Amino acid sequence: MRELTYAQAIQEGLHQSMWADPRVILIGEGVPDPKAIFGTTAGLRESFGPQRVFDMPLSENGMTGICIGAALSGLRPVMVHQRIDFGLLAMDQLVNNASKWHYMFDGLAHVPMVVRFIIGRGWGQGPQHSQSLQALFAHIPGFKVALPATAYDAKGMLISAIKDNNPVIFIEHRWLHNIKDAVPAEAYSTPLDCARVLHEGDRVTVAAFSYMVVEAMQVARALAPHGIRIEVIDMRSARPLDVDTVAKSVRKTGHLLVLDTAWSSGSIAGELVARVVEKEFSALRKAPMRIALPDYPVPTSHHMAEGYYPGAIQIHEAISALTAVTLAPAAHEAVLASVRHSGPHDVPNIRFTGPF
Amino acid sequence: MRELTYAQAIQEGLHQSMWADPRVILIGEGVPDPKAIFGTTAGLRESFGPQRVFDMPLSENGMTGICIGAALSGLRPVMVHQRIDFGLLAMDQLVNNASKWHYMFDGLAHVPMVVRFIIGRGWGQGPQHSQSLQALFAHIPGFKVALPATAYDAKGMLISAIKDNNPVIFIEHRWLHNIKDAVPAEAYSTPLDCARVLHEGDRVTVAAFSYMVVEAMQVARALAPHGIRIEVIDMRSARPLDVDTVAKSVRKTGHLLVLDTAWSSGSIAGELVARVVEKEFSALRKAPMRIALPDYPVPTSHHMAEGYYPGAIQIHEAISALTAVTLAPAAHEAVLASVRHSGPHDVPNIRFTGPF
Amino acid sequence: MMKTPAKLIESYRAMLRIRRVEEALADRYAEQQMRCPMHLCIGQEAIAAGVCMALRRDDVVYSNHRAHGHYLAKGGDLNAMVAELYGRTTGCCGGRGGSMHLIDQRAGFMGSTAIVGGTVPLAVGAAWAARLQSKDFLGVAFFGDGCFEEGVIHESLNFASLHRLPVLFVCENNNFAVYTPLSERQPARPIHAIAQAHGWHTWTGDGNDVEAVAAIACEAANRARAGEGPQFIELETYRWREHCGPNFDEELNYRSIGEIAAGKQRCPVARSRAKLIGECLATEASLDAIEHGIAVEINEAFQFALSSPLPLGTDAATKVLAVSNSCAN
Amino acid sequence: MMKTPAKLIESYRAMLRIRRVEEALADRYAEQQMRCPMHLCIGQEAIAAGVCMALRRDDVVYSNHRAHGHYLAKGGDLNAMVAELYGRTTGCCGGRGGSMHLIDQRAGFMGSTAIVGGTVPLAVGAAWAARLQSKDFLGVAFFGDGCFEEGVIHESLNFASLHRLPVLFVCENNNFAVYTPLSERQPARPIHAIAQAHGWHTWTGDGNDVEAVAAIACEAANRARAGEGPQFIELETYRWREHCGPNFDEELNYRSIGEIAAGKQRCPVARSRAKLIGECLATEASLDAIEHGIAVEINEAFQFALSSPLPLGTDAATKVLAVSNSCAN
Ligand SMILES: Cc1ncc(C[n+]2csc(CCOP(=O)(O)OP(=O)(O)O)c2C)c(N)n1
Ligand SMILES: Cc1ncc(C[n+]2csc(CCOP(=O)(O)OP(=O)(O)O)c2C)c(N)n1
Ligand SMILES: [Mg+2]
Ligand SMILES: [Mg+2]
């Protein structure tokens, strides 16, 4: 089976979208530079030329407005920001204009635009370079907010996002960029409003966003040999939230655990917990749980950041608490061993050596 | 008992804070102008002079940064924005700098600053002038987010906010500005982290934010004569969320209804529902509910906006559904009659005649 | 261009029409049926009229909260505008926008919004789209002196200059943002000097002189269309009424009675009329006929609006998201 | 000011110290113990050194992601900086900030941050606070050519000019933002011309000539302190190494080998040394002694850092909110 990394899948999705539709343009700080946004825009200027692939001034709000204006005059811009933290500079144009234009002008116009934001962690990115701000966008009507967790979905959802006539906030976790997955060569669209059951189970529903899907799947695979089957749902989108898929699963499992890469308070994990409870209260056998970041910024020092990011171990613990299942000590050890992060905690893999 | 409107209470809180501490300065578009931010800044330039009370250029992000810099050099700025929508322009300085400065610089410095934002509704303010964006701030560690609902708290919480060494996001609903309450003449501080039980009851816990407290209290008063006592909690702050007070109440009532002035999805109402469920699952007898705005912008036309804002009627209905209490038809009619908004739906009272 | 009497009369008519429409809005606002904030441009009509005289229909205009004049001068539908203020289904936004959100895309009026500075980069984006699609329409942004304080102006000036885009910025300097004078917001230096420093070609003029405005706009538009890069026009003008709402505002005391009187003295409409009559370019009778024609049109527009269907609360739930046809495959 | 040999030697020492510190950081970065993004200013030292020579200790400096030079030149504690990069408790932010977040308030270094443009208005705010508190310290912001594209620059320029604040902006124009040349981001016009249009006094100079830099900064600081308003200094400079990280980056091909060589040719440290020797202002031996002193200091700093305690994960949960003493009553 053909495999690509998530970054390659993004690149391929961009390439095929630009090839299919001459209205698609690509712009962002560093888009055509040698590092090519972690490789996701590699070769695109060479393929489509400087009239469709742009670097840009460090003017996040203005350039967002310029892209909105270009979209309203017939183009389909894809903007890229290397860090979602920079998106805070563009909140005015995104929230006041892009999200509302179609609505407030009675559907007479629309803003077909994709804004790629990269969230992440590790290597001392620190308080201002590794926020996970998806909740800020997920609250806003008029946006679609995509958070693909696999290379397959990264490509398919990006293609959908570019074809979509609404502003789509497309959020990639950096620790996903190097993970491989089977990715068909042809162009394909993945819906922007459906969660996906990645691993079937009956003991507990684990609904995960973005990179937390990876952690959840590790636990699912580690527990399966011990007869504990958990249902892992890759939420894929934060807006709209596919509550139905989760609700259906909860009706089966009776337990809900939600995983997010963001600060816990006010996270989309909280929203999902609330929605499921409002809908499926009687199906729940215990209080739902969520695992997300503690409510403070991440410090830069890797020593101090140790333990900041919950992962497979914490997921495993939460599942044990929810299901009240106790593994035999040896089995328990085996599970822990198989999910433990190998190498330094602040890098996605041992090949990662900085410097950013 | 001495009564002031909420707007007068704000003005008095500002006046007393500036009088007490010469480091306090006040700045905002229109602060010293004839309309004085809905009267909340009236007379302050006259009292404290142009070296402490400032109008400002239309530069929301830059001026926020300038106030942060001033705060770091010894002043205690209070900034005012007539609409929270304009705050979207300042998200970078607020979230990337103000909220994190103390943390990321190891507590060596702090940003004692209050940012007053006005949320609201009515008179065709429309999609870009009446958003209720508290959830965006409530998600961010490092902020305190205050939403006083009474004149008493407006003054007390503003005084606390100004004394606080952290950036405090202080959110006022315009429809509160003209409501009177008993307000002591002397300066007093109200905590920024405590909800308050405004009306005791045992049938259902109604936890409300900002203006929704007014609607909830109408229902509480209307139901009381019929022997239905609901517990109304004025949440007062969105960050930190005083979950304990709500949890305690839910242990008594077994039912939770949360009211917010914002879009439902991703609201602080959702966060509160999730937190209470995570904590008090077994105390809940039914699925908790929330009442908030539908997930789309408000249109400008008052015809089209009719029904957009849920109020006492919907609260009453939700309470009936939660408690499964059916009032006799006459009693039901009496309740409805007493909570129905009088006059046009798009103004807080009939004296309001625009133009903004 | 403006040298012909026909053009002069046309620009007079455009200004007078804006004036009379807004006066009618102001008169009826107290009836409490137009229930939205409304910013009148009475006194500032020459800018809208003069600049739009120089534009083609396919040139795209973006505007701000004070948009009536720009919308009408660009050819926006009057009925749809009045209906919009009344919140009717026939309004240009179906009632969703009100006075601060006007649109008539067929007339090249792409939208006005309520956030100061919000549409400025959109006009640059339009010009960029024109460039990238090898079309020759212009992007035009109208904005005020207060708007010039927003950072997005700087970002827009930089990008447009970098790509030498076919864009026109029209800064209506009425010396106030709400009730705050320019002197409390900006240092004593010309606004256009900053655009110039960014590499824009700049123009200044008396915003009360429609002929002068049109002449500048015409030159500027020609240059922009010819690929000579972005053009910045700063025009002095004066807002006669309150910042927001239908009334005059002498009682607010943020500007002197003398200043207001001097502002009104420079009335662009009266000036144009005086010239037309004084230089025998038009007769009193012909101008009266224009006045009459406008009155009829306005009357019809209000009738149209008031007899248009009311939207329902349930209509508000629609069009939250655009249908994504192209996603169909 | 710079005319005395002592001052020249002092500025040479300041530059050399920055250079050697950063070289040491670069050398050890591969050990993977400094685990955070790190932006070296090697090649740009004359700006930090020259400007800070002109400042008083109580003048407050704000800086950006490329902050080591500014921090050191302003008198920031070397041990605390190196420890910060190693993420130790003794770091200037206790490990919370890393290379992009330096602070030493006693030295008047108020903070550097990772968001481009983020600290620029803070320096203006400091100057405003000085004015309002009748103090005579200056607010100083160091930033790059890329930063100048952010809207917040415009807003900061406007406000500082409006109030004629005692503020110095130092624009380090190294012609690149990451790997993107100025020509792809800004039109061909001088950056400082925009500050000038905002009413700032502007200065330009060769950022490789520490003497020239110090002379300009001295004049500018005097003017600002004397109430003559904000001062903008634009200096040409060159970044020798990769945008972020310890290495050279010829292989990335975003700039030519010739350009890099020419950049290095203008080495401010070598130039200063040549002058000191050439004009007999210092002996080889005395300069070697400086070199040696710096080496010792750096060695000690690394020892200090590496022998400092490691923070714990649990430390991260503290200091999220400031204690609000004044709220006690
Ligand atoms: C970002 C933002 N800040 C503040 C406001 C409130 N506001 C509306 S109009 C206005 C004044 C604008 O002044 P100017 O640009 O000169 O236009 P004018 O009203 O004079 O035509 C202000 C401050 C707003 N709508 N948007
Ligand atoms: C708001 C924002 N946008 C983008 C970035 C990513 N970034 C970090 S440094 C940099 C280049 C800055 O260029 P310049 O200001 O010239 O400083 P230099 O690196 O050349 O010293 C960029 C784009 C950022 N940190 N913040
Ligand atoms: Mg104005
Ligand atoms: Mg640079």
Side-chain angles (χ1 to χ4, degrees):
Chain A
M1 175 87 91
R2 179 176 184 270
E3 289 207 323
L4 292 183
T5 66
Y6 188 101
Q8 290 164 336
I10 297 271
Q11 194 275 354
E12 190 166 278
L14 286 171
H15 195 287
Q16 292 176 346
S17 297
M18 296 190 74
W19 194 85
D21 187 343
R23 297 169 303 173
V24 178
I25 59 172
L26 177 64
I27 183 166
E29 294 160 21
V31 158
D33 83 13
K35 299 284 170 85
I37 319 279
F38 309 113
T40 61
T41 59
L44 295 172
R45 186 176 259 192
E46 290 69 19
S47 299
F48 300 103
Q51 291 304 302
R52 291 186 63 198
V53 179
F54 302 86
D55 214 307
M56 72 175 209
L58 313 193
S59 307
E60 287 79 3
N61 200 40
M63 292 309 307
T64 303
I66 287 168
C67 285
I68 294 169
L72 289 169
S73 283
L75 297 176
R76 302 181 79 85
V78 179
M79 281 193 92
V80 198
H81 298 277
Q82 300 222 14
R83 309 249 186 269
I84 203 169
D85 317 68
F86 312 155
L88 290 168
L89 284 147
M91 289 302 272
D92 165 47
Q93 284 294 334
L94 289 171
V95 177
N96 282 327
N97 277 346
S99 78
K100 296 177 177 52
W101 203 271
H102 181 74
Y103 184 87
M104 70 190 172
F105 290 113
D106 201 25
L108 293 170
H110 52 264
V111 181
M113 170 168 163
V114 178
V115 185
R116 288 179 52 203
F117 284 123
I118 294 167
I119 59 177
R121 63 188 260 195
W123 200 263
Q125 306 296 314
Q128 294 183 321
H129 266 49
S130 54
Q131 295 171 78
S132 275
L133 299 173
Q134 50 267 36
L136 270 48
F137 299 97
H139 183 46
I140 309 296
F143 283 145
K144 297 185 179 180
V145 181
L147 294 111
T150 61
Y152 179 88
D153 284 338
K155 178 174 168 183
M157 292 176 83
L158 183 58
I159 289 175
S160 293
I162 295 172
K163 285 183 182 171
D164 201 284
N165 280 333
N166 298 285
V168 179
I169 306 296
F170 192 91
I171 299 179
E172 308 157 27
H173 194 290
R174 247 189 101 182
W175 281 26
L176 295 170
H177 273 143
N178 281 317
I179 300 181
K180 287 195 172 178
D181 188 19
V183 176
E186 71 278 7
Y188 58 93
S189 298
T190 307
L192 297 175
D193 55 359
C194 295
R196 180 157 62 135
V197 177
L198 274 193
H199 188 276
E200 287 193 25
D202 54 2
R203 299 295 274 269
V204 58
T205 300
V206 180
F209 290 93
S210 188
Y211 175 74
M212 294 308 278
V213 171
V214 174
E215 301 278 341
M217 284 301 290
Q218 281 181 33
V219 179
R221 282 189 290 258
L223 288 176
H226 305 283
I228 303 179
R229 298 196 53 83
I230 66 171
E231 183 134 308
V232 177
I233 300 178
D234 176 358
M235 291 305 297
R236 300 205 288 192
S237 289
R239 185 179 193 96
L241 267 184
D242 181 359
V243 180
D244 288 344
T245 295
V246 183
K248 189 175 158 210
S249 173
V250 166
R251 284 196 296 272
K252 175 170 63 172
T253 65
H255 294 292
L256 176 65
L257 172 64
V258 182
L259 313 178
D260 196 356
T261 66
W263 295 306
S264 184
S265 284
S267 61
I268 48 174
E271 176 66 19
L272 183 57
V273 166
R275 292 271 277 278
V276 172
V277 166
E278 287 162 356
K279 209 179 159 103
E280 293 295 339
F281 182 73
S282 52
L284 282 164
R285 275 178 266 148
K286 264 199 191 149
M289 292 176 74
R290 67 180 127 164
I291 291 179
L293 300 190
D295 281 317
Y296 46 87
V298 67
T300 296
S301 165
H302 64 288
H303 304 298
M304 212 190 282
E306 181 138 29
Y308 181 83
Y309 293 100
I313 303 280
Q314 288 75 19
I315 296 168
H316 172 55
E317 281 167 10
I319 290 171
S320 304
L322 276 173
T323 58
V325 166
T326 334
L327 287 176
H332 184 72
E333 259 320 303
V335 169
L336 289 185
S338 77
V339 302
R340 212 168 266 134
H341 188 80
S342 68
H345 73 87
D346 64 340
V347 290
N349 56 64
I350 43 167
R351 291 177 309 286
F352 188 101
T353 58
F356 60 84
Chain B
M1 177 85 92
R2 179 176 184 271
E3 289 207 321
L4 292 184
T5 65
Y6 187 103
Q8 289 165 336
I10 297 271
Q11 193 275 354
E12 190 165 278
L14 286 170
H15 194 287
Q16 292 176 346
S17 297
M18 296 189 75
W19 194 85
D21 188 341
R23 299 169 302 173
V24 178
I25 58 172
L26 177 64
I27 183 165
E29 293 161 22
V31 158
D33 84 12
K35 300 284 170 83
I37 318 280
F38 309 112
T40 60
T41 60
L44 295 172
R45 187 176 258 191
E46 291 69 19
S47 300
F48 299 104
Q51 291 303 303
R52 292 185 62 199
V53 179
F54 301 86
D55 213 307
M56 74 176 207
L58 313 193
S59 306
E60 288 79 4
N61 201 39
M63 291 309 308
T64 303
I66 287 167
C67 286
I68 294 170
L72 290 169
S73 283
L75 297 177
R76 302 181 79 86
V78 179
M79 280 194 95
V80 197
H81 298 277
Q82 300 222 10
R83 310 251 186 267
I84 203 168
D85 316 68
F86 312 156
L88 290 169
L89 283 147
M91 288 303 272
D92 165 48
Q93 283 295 334
L94 289 171
V95 177
N96 282 328
N97 276 347
S99 78
K100 297 177 176 52
W101 203 271
H102 181 74
Y103 184 88
M104 70 191 172
F105 290 112
D106 200 27
L108 293 169
H110 53 263
V111 181
M113 170 167 162
V114 178
V115 185
R116 288 179 51 204
F117 283 124
I118 295 167
I119 58 176
R121 63 187 260 196
W123 200 263
Q125 306 295 315
Q128 294 183 322
H129 266 49
S130 54
Q131 295 171 80
S132 275
L133 299 173
Q134 50 266 33
L136 270 48
F137 300 98
H139 183 47
I140 309 296
F143 284 144
K144 296 185 180 180
V145 181
L147 295 111
T150 61
Y152 179 87
D153 284 337
K155 178 175 168 183
M157 293 176 82
L158 183 57
I159 289 176
S160 293
I162 295 172
K163 285 183 182 170
D164 202 283
N165 280 333
N166 298 286
V168 179
I169 306 296
F170 192 90
I171 298 179
E172 308 158 25
H173 194 290
R174 246 189 101 182
W175 280 27
L176 296 170
H177 273 143
N178 281 317
I179 300 180
K180 287 195 173 179
D181 188 18
V183 176
E186 72 276 7
Y188 57 93
S189 299
T190 307
L192 297 175
D193 55 359
C194 296
R196 180 157 63 132
V197 177
L198 273 193
H199 188 276
E200 287 193 24
D202 54 2
R203 298 295 275 271
V204 58
T205 300
V206 180
F209 290 93
S210 187
Y211 175 74
M212 293 309 278
V213 171
V214 174
E215 301 279 340
M217 284 301 289
Q218 280 181 34
V219 178
R221 282 188 291 257
L223 288 176
H226 305 283
I228 304 178
R229 296 194 56 82
I230 65 171
E231 183 134 307
V232 177
I233 301 178
D234 177 358
M235 291 306 298
R236 299 204 289 193
S237 289
R239 187 179 191 96
L241 266 185
D242 181 359
V243 180
D244 288 343
T245 295
V246 183
K248 187 173 159 212
S249 174
V250 165
R251 285 198 294 275
K252 176 170 64 172
T253 65
H255 294 293
L256 176 65
L257 173 63
V258 182
L259 313 178
D260 196 357
T261 66
W263 295 305
S264 185
S265 284
S267 60
I268 48 175
E271 176 66 20
L272 183 56
V273 166
R275 292 272 276 278
V276 172
V277 166
E278 287 162 355
K279 209 180 159 105
E280 294 295 340
F281 182 73
S282 52
L284 282 165
R285 275 178 266 147
K286 266 200 191 146
M289 292 176 73
R290 68 179 126 162
I291 291 179
L293 301 190
D295 280 316
Y296 46 86
V298 66
T300 296
S301 166
H302 64 289
H303 304 297
M304 212 189 286
E306 179 136 30
Y308 181 83
Y309 293 101
I313 304 280
Q314 288 75 16
I315 296 169
H316 172 53
E317 281 167 11
I319 291 170
S320 304
L322 276 173
T323 58
V325 165
T326 335
L327 286 175
H332 184 72
E333 260 319 304
V335 169
L336 289 186
S338 77
V339 301
R340 210 167 268 134
H341 188 79
S342 68
H345 72 88
D346 64 340
V347 291
N349 56 63
I350 44 166
R351 291 177 309 286
F352 189 101
T353 59
F356 59 85
Chain C
M1 167 206 193
M2 283 297 286
K3 291 292 140 69
T4 74
K7 289 280 180 194
L8 284 178
I9 293 171
E10 191 184 325
S11 64
Y12 170 75
R13 184 181 184 286
M15 288 193 293
L16 186 70
R17 183 161 169 268
I18 296 168
R19 171 77 52 98
R20 295 294 180 251
V21 167
E22 289 205 330
E23 285 171 347
L25 293 173
D27 286 348
R28 304 229 196 163
Y29 193 80
E31 293 165 7
Q32 304 269 293
Q33 291 200 48
M34 289 177 266
R35 300 175 79 85
C36 64
M38 176 179 83
H39 303 78
L40 301 181
C41 72
I42 289 175
Q44 308 190 184
E45 302 89 344
I47 298 178
V51 169
C52 290
M53 291 279 295
L55 300 180
R56 293 196 324 217
R57 195 172 176 87
D58 68 335
D59 291 335
V60 304
V61 164
Y62 283 94
S63 164
N64 61 4
H65 55 288
R66 201 176 303 287
H68 301 165
H70 312 140
Y71 170 94
L72 291 173
K74 189 63 175 55
D77 185 77
L78 174 62
N79 286 356
M81 179 182 119
V82 177
E84 185 60 33
L85 272 85
Y86 277 96
R88 303 294 170 121
T89 56
T90 53
C92 59
C93 301
R96 289 161 179 238
S99 165
M100 296 197 286
H101 300 277
L102 302 179
I103 187 167
D104 189 339
Q105 293 177 118
R106 280 157 315 174
F109 191 86
M110 299 293 280
S112 62
T113 69
I115 301 294
V116 171
T119 52
V120 172
L122 275 59
V124 175
W128 190 39
R131 162 73 50 77
L132 297 180
Q133 297 170 110
S134 306
K135 295 185 182 160
D136 75 341
F137 66 83
L138 305 180
V140 182
F142 285 97
F143 56 84
D145 51 304
C147 177
F148 197 79
E149 294 146 20
E150 293 288 355
V152 78
I153 283 274
H154 174 87
E155 300 178 344
S156 301
L157 290 171
N158 181 61
F159 187 78
S161 180
L162 172 65
H163 291 288
R164 293 179 62 79
L165 295 179
V167 65
L168 242 61
F169 276 11
V170 183
C171 179
E172 303 183 277
N173 187 345
N174 63 10
N175 196 43
F176 282 97
V178 192
Y179 311 116
T180 311
L182 195 57
S183 59
E184 238 183 292
R185 301 180 284 110
Q186 296 181 32
R189 51 91 196 101
I191 284 176
H192 66 269
I194 290 162
Q196 197 163 43
H198 277 281
W200 286 51
H201 196 95
T202 62
W203 311 75
T204 55
D206 178 357
N208 301 292
D209 179 350
V210 72
E211 227 183 322
V213 171
I216 288 172
C218 201
E219 271 283 307
N222 285 343
R223 275 176 169 267
R225 219 181 300 279
E228 293 177 42
Q231 311 286 318
F232 191 97
I233 307 176
E234 179 184 355
L235 299 161
E236 303 261 307
T237 183
Y238 201 72
R239 162 171 61 74
W240 289 17
R241 305 216 177 190
E242 57 189 340
H243 164 69
C244 179
N247 302 311
F248 293 95
D249 66 0
E250 283 79 0
E251 74 287 1
L252 292 181
N253 278 321
Y254 67 96
R255 48 186 189 176
S256 72
I257 304 287
E259 178 189 313
I260 297 171
K264 291 190 189 170
Q265 203 63 51
R266 298 193 296 271
C267 175
V269 183
R271 174 180 182 148
S272 175
R273 185 180 177 105
K275 166 154 184 165
L276 288 171
I277 299 292
E279 300 187 6
C280 299
L281 302 169
T283 61
E284 293 272 359
S286 68
L287 298 188
D288 288 351
I290 287 176
E291 180 87 58
H292 179 71
I294 289 172
V296 169
E297 196 196 356
I298 291 174
N299 206 23
E300 284 170 6
F302 278 85
Q303 277 180 15
F304 171 81
L306 286 164
S307 62
S308 289
L310 304 178
L312 301 174
T314 47
D315 295 338
T318 63
K319 302 179 192 170
V320 181
L321 292 171
V323 177
S324 293
N325 297 319
S326 52
C327 218
N329 71 333
Chain D
M1 167 204 190
M2 285 295 286
K3 293 291 140 69
T4 73
K7 290 278 179 196
L8 283 179
I9 293 170
E10 191 184 326
S11 65
Y12 170 75
R13 184 181 184 285
M15 288 193 292
L16 186 70
R17 182 161 170 267
I18 296 167
R19 171 76 53 97
R20 295 294 180 249
V21 168
E22 288 206 330
E23 284 171 346
L25 293 173
D27 286 348
R28 305 229 195 164
Y29 193 80
E31 293 166 7
Q32 303 270 293
Q33 292 200 47
M34 289 177 266
R35 301 174 79 85
C36 64
M38 175 179 85
H39 302 78
L40 301 181
C41 72
I42 289 176
Q44 308 190 183
E45 302 90 344
I47 297 178
V51 169
C52 291
M53 291 279 295
L55 300 180
R56 293 196 324 217
R57 194 171 177 87
D58 67 337
D59 290 336
V60 304
V61 164
Y62 283 94
S63 163
N64 59 5
H65 56 287
R66 200 177 302 288
H68 301 166
H70 312 139
Y71 171 95
L72 292 173
K74 189 63 176 54
D77 186 77
L78 174 62
N79 285 356
M81 180 182 116
V82 177
E84 186 60 32
L85 272 83
Y86 278 95
R88 303 294 170 123
T89 56
T90 54
C92 58
C93 302
R96 288 162 180 240
S99 165
M100 296 198 284
H101 299 278
L102 302 179
I103 187 168
D104 188 340
Q105 293 176 117
R106 279 157 316 175
F109 191 86
M110 299 293 280
S112 63
T113 68
I115 302 294
V116 171
T119 53
V120 172
L122 275 59
V124 175
W128 191 39
R131 161 74 50 76
L132 297 180
Q133 296 170 111
S134 305
K135 295 184 182 160
D136 74 340
F137 65 84
L138 306 180
V140 182
F142 285 96
F143 56 85
D145 51 305
C147 178
F148 197 79
E149 293 145 22
E150 293 288 355
V152 77
I153 284 274
H154 174 87
E155 301 178 343
S156 301
L157 290 171
N158 182 61
F159 188 79
S161 179
L162 173 65
H163 291 287
R164 292 179 63 79
L165 296 179
V167 66
L168 241 60
F169 276 11
V170 183
C171 179
E172 303 182 277
N173 187 345
N174 64 10
N175 197 42
F176 282 96
V178 192
Y179 310 116
T180 310
L182 196 57
S183 59
E184 238 183 291
R185 302 179 283 111
Q186 297 181 31
R189 50 91 196 100
I191 284 176
H192 66 270
I194 289 162
Q196 197 165 42
H198 277 282
W200 286 52
H201 196 95
T202 63
W203 312 76
T204 56
D206 178 357
N208 301 293
D209 178 351
V210 72
E211 226 183 322
V213 172
I216 288 172
C218 200
E219 271 283 308
N222 286 343
R223 274 175 169 268
R225 218 181 300 279
E228 292 177 42
Q231 310 287 318
F232 191 98
I233 307 176
E234 180 184 354
L235 298 161
E236 304 262 307
T237 184
Y238 201 73
R239 162 171 61 74
W240 289 16
R241 304 216 178 191
E242 57 189 341
H243 164 68
C244 178
N247 302 312
F248 293 95
D249 66 0
E250 282 80 358
E251 75 287 3
L252 291 181
N253 278 321
Y254 67 95
R255 47 186 191 177
S256 72
I257 305 286
E259 178 189 313
I260 297 172
K264 291 189 188 168
Q265 202 62 52
R266 298 192 297 269
C267 176
V269 182
R271 175 181 181 146
S272 175
R273 185 179 179 105
K275 168 156 183 162
L276 289 169
I277 301 292
E279 300 186 7
C280 299
L281 302 169
T283 62
E284 293 272 358
S286 68
L287 299 189
D288 288 352
I290 287 176
E291 181 87 59
H292 179 72
I294 289 172
V296 169
E297 196 194 357
I298 291 173
N299 206 24
E300 284 170 5
F302 278 84
Q303 277 180 16
F304 171 80
L306 286 165
S307 62
S308 289
L310 304 179
L312 301 175
T314 48
D315 296 337
T318 63
K319 303 179 191 169
V320 182
L321 291 171
V323 177
S324 293
N325 296 321
S326 53
C327 217
N329 70 332

